[in-house]
């Protein structure tokens, strides 16, 4: 995928719309009706396709996180499109309008920045991805309306207080810390052991049974020597000290959320099921609060805005007539 097409996909995803991934013969039944406006199943599929591309690029080094994000996105795709229709309907009800020149300036800015001002190349790439210039322009207009309406609701939030900044810093101090190291022990059960009777499902069941034994007090090292199938099994599953930034993100995220002596659940990690025991942690140094104060204040402002917007959206949903058929 070229850089410019990735950019277009990203823009489309902001609207829960996207470059079509299905042929014209795909089912185009009704996924939902919002105040009389139809959302088709193909629209939902297109939205899912666009966001899948974004997530796969974003989480290419963390398969576990990718699967969680994909599941969450697929479950909420239709609701996202419904919310967009509600906002657009509210904009229309208010009698508001967006100047055509603003939309034209926005599209021209994309052509200038992503295609070096070559309008012909921009239109050609749209056509190759199954999208017309008019459709793309309409998408951008809807996105601008939604952003403006959400921004209007979130405007004029009170600034973060010193107490809020301090509380946020303490809760999220790991974000600004570097040099963390950890000692862990692992029990690894391969999804495909080579035995004819073994399946991923049966191997997961074995991992869960092992986990149950550990929870009931079984010695981790002895259990690892008996069941684990990784290179550290003979050492009771024990690993040497490891810096966080050299660990696989899906493993590090679980391990560093454990307390010393803590035990993880069964982790589904690509080709294996893994159980982690945290043996010891050494935390690195964190940036002082004053160095990250502006970042914290922005984060708190975003959280407050989200609360307001969520409340506003809930009000729109309650007033609307929505029929969901699924997709």
């Amino acid at each position: 995928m070229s850089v410019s097409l990735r950019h277009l996909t990203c823009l489309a995803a902001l609207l829960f719309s996207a470059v079509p991934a299905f042929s014209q013969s795909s089912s185009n039944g009704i996924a939902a009706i919002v105040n009389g406006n139809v959302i088709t199943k193909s629209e939902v599929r297109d939205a899912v396709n666009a966001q899948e591309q974004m997530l796969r690029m974003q989480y290419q080094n963390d398969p576990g996180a990718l699967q969680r994000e994909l599941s969450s996105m697929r479950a909420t795709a239709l609701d996202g499109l419904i919310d967009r229709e509600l906002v657009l309907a509210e904009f229309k009800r208010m009698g508001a309008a967006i100047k055509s020149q603003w939309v034209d300036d926005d599209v021209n800015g994309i052509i200038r920045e992503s295609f070096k001002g070559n309008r012909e190349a921009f239109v050609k790439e749209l056509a190759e991805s199954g999208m017309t210039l008019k459709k793309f322009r309409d998408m951008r207009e809807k996105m601008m309306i939604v952003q403006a309406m959400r921004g209007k609701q979130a405007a004029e939030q009170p600034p973060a207080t010193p107490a809020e900044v301090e509380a946020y810093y303490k809760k999220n101090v790991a974000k600004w810390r570097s040099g963390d190291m950890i000692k862990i022990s692992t029990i690894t059960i391969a999804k495909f052991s080579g035995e004819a009777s073994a399946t991923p499902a049966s191997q997961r069941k074995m991992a869960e049974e092992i986990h149950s034994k550990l929870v009931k007090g079984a010695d981790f090292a002895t259990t690892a020597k008996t069941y684990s199938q990784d290179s550290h099994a003979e050492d009771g599953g024990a690993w040497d000290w490891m810096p966080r930034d050299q660990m696989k993100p899906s493993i590090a995220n679980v391990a560093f959320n454990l307390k010393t002596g803590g035990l993880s659940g069964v982790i589904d990690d690509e080709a294996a099921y893994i159980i982690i025991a945290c043996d010891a942690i050494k935390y690195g140094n964190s940036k002082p609060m004053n160095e990250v104060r502006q970042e914290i204040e922005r984060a708190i402002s975003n959280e407050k805005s989200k609360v307001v917007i969520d409340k506003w959206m809930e009000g729109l949903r309650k007033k609307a007539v929505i029929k969901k058929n699924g997709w």
Side-chain angles (χ1 to χ4, degrees):
M1 182 183 291
S2 67
V3 173
S4 52
L5 184 53
R6 281 205 304 269
H7 184 60
L8 292 177
T9 301
C10 214
L11 294 173
L14 290 172
L15 286 166
F16 298 99
S17 188
V19 176
F22 297 86
S23 68
Q24 294 299 316
S25 61
S26 297
S27 173
N28 201 29
I30 296 174
I33 302 175
V34 184
N35 291 329
N37 296 318
V38 170
I39 297 173
T40 65
K41 293 182 178 180
S42 64
E43 286 181 275
V44 186
R45 292 178 182 131
D46 289 349
V48 167
N49 177 64
Q51 293 174 87
E52 279 193 358
Q53 293 180 47
M54 292 174 62
L55 290 171
R56 291 186 188 283
M57 287 187 285
Q58 184 178 353
Y59 295 99
Q60 56 184 317
N61 296 320
D62 193 345
L66 173 61
Q67 291 306 314
R68 290 192 296 272
E69 293 294 329
L70 286 174
S71 296
S72 175
M73 178 272 295
R74 290 165 182 157
T76 59
L78 179 55
D79 288 335
L81 284 170
I82 289 171
D83 283 353
R84 186 188 71 173
E85 288 301 318
L86 292 174
V87 174
L88 294 173
E90 180 68 5
F91 182 80
K92 183 177 180 180
R93 186 194 67 77
M94 293 167 57
I98 186 170
K99 293 183 178 179
S100 295
Q101 185 62 48
W102 294 351
V103 184
D104 292 337
D105 289 345
D106 177 79
V107 174
N108 289 334
I110 293 169
I111 296 171
R112 184 170 56 253
E113 293 172 12
S114 296
F115 294 85
K116 299 181 180 180
N118 190 333
R119 191 177 186 86
E120 183 178 343
F122 170 69
V123 173
K124 181 180 179 181
E125 187 150 351
L126 284 179
E128 288 176 353
S129 62
M131 187 181 295
T132 65
L133 178 58
K134 181 180 184 303
K135 181 178 179 181
F136 183 79
R137 188 186 182 284
D138 289 345
M139 288 165 54
R140 291 299 294 175
E141 181 174 0
K142 289 178 179 179
M143 188 197 73
M144 293 172 72
I145 291 171
V146 171
Q147 288 183 335
M149 291 289 283
R150 290 168 63 91
K152 181 176 182 295
Q153 296 300 315
E156 299 181 2
Q157 293 300 312
T161 66
E164 288 174 330
V165 171
E166 184 175 0
Y168 188 95
Y169 177 78
K170 289 180 178 178
K171 182 179 179 181
N172 299 277
V173 67
K175 291 173 58 177
W176 303 288
R177 193 171 59 222
S178 60
D180 289 356
M181 297 188 72
I182 194 168
K183 274 178 68 71
I184 62 173
S185 294
T186 59
I187 294 175
T188 302
I189 304 298
K191 291 184 178 179
F192 301 95
S193 67
E195 296 180 9
S197 60
T199 65
S202 66
Q203 294 295 88
R204 182 177 183 92
K205 183 178 179 181
M206 179 193 299
E208 290 172 346
E209 290 172 351
I210 292 169
H211 184 267
S212 179
K213 291 179 181 179
L214 294 170
V215 170
K216 292 176 181 177
D219 180 69
F220 193 98
T222 302
T223 306
K225 290 177 181 179
T226 303
Y227 296 103
S228 188
Q229 299 163 0
D230 62 34
S231 60
H232 294 262
E234 291 184 1
D235 299 320
W239 294 64
D240 200 356
W241 285 101
M242 291 182 289
R244 179 170 189 152
D245 59 6
Q246 293 182 21
M247 296 173 66
K248 191 174 184 179
S250 57
I251 299 299
N253 291 339
V254 174
F256 278 93
N257 277 325
L258 297 172
K259 295 181 180 179
T260 299
L263 183 71
S264 77
V266 176
I267 303 166
D268 187 339
D269 190 67
E270 296 185 89
Y273 300 110
I274 301 173
I275 302 169
I276 299 174
C278 176
D279 300 325
I281 297 178
K282 293 179 183 177
Y283 292 117
N285 296 320
S286 299
K287 292 181 179 179
M289 186 172 66
N290 286 339
E291 287 188 17
V292 294
R293 181 177 292 274
Q294 289 186 341
E295 182 182 343
I296 293 173
E297 289 174 345
R298 286 194 296 270
I300 293 172
S301 176
N302 289 338
E303 288 182 355
K304 290 181 177 180
S305 295
K306 184 179 183 303
V307 171
V308 173
I309 291 172
D310 287 348
K311 184 177 180 179
W312 173 62
M313 288 303 308
E314 185 60 31
L316 294 182
R317 295 184 196 109
K318 287 181 178 179
K319 293 186 295 183
V321 178
I322 302 171
K323 181 181 179 181
K324 294 167 63 174
N325 297 326
W327 59 280

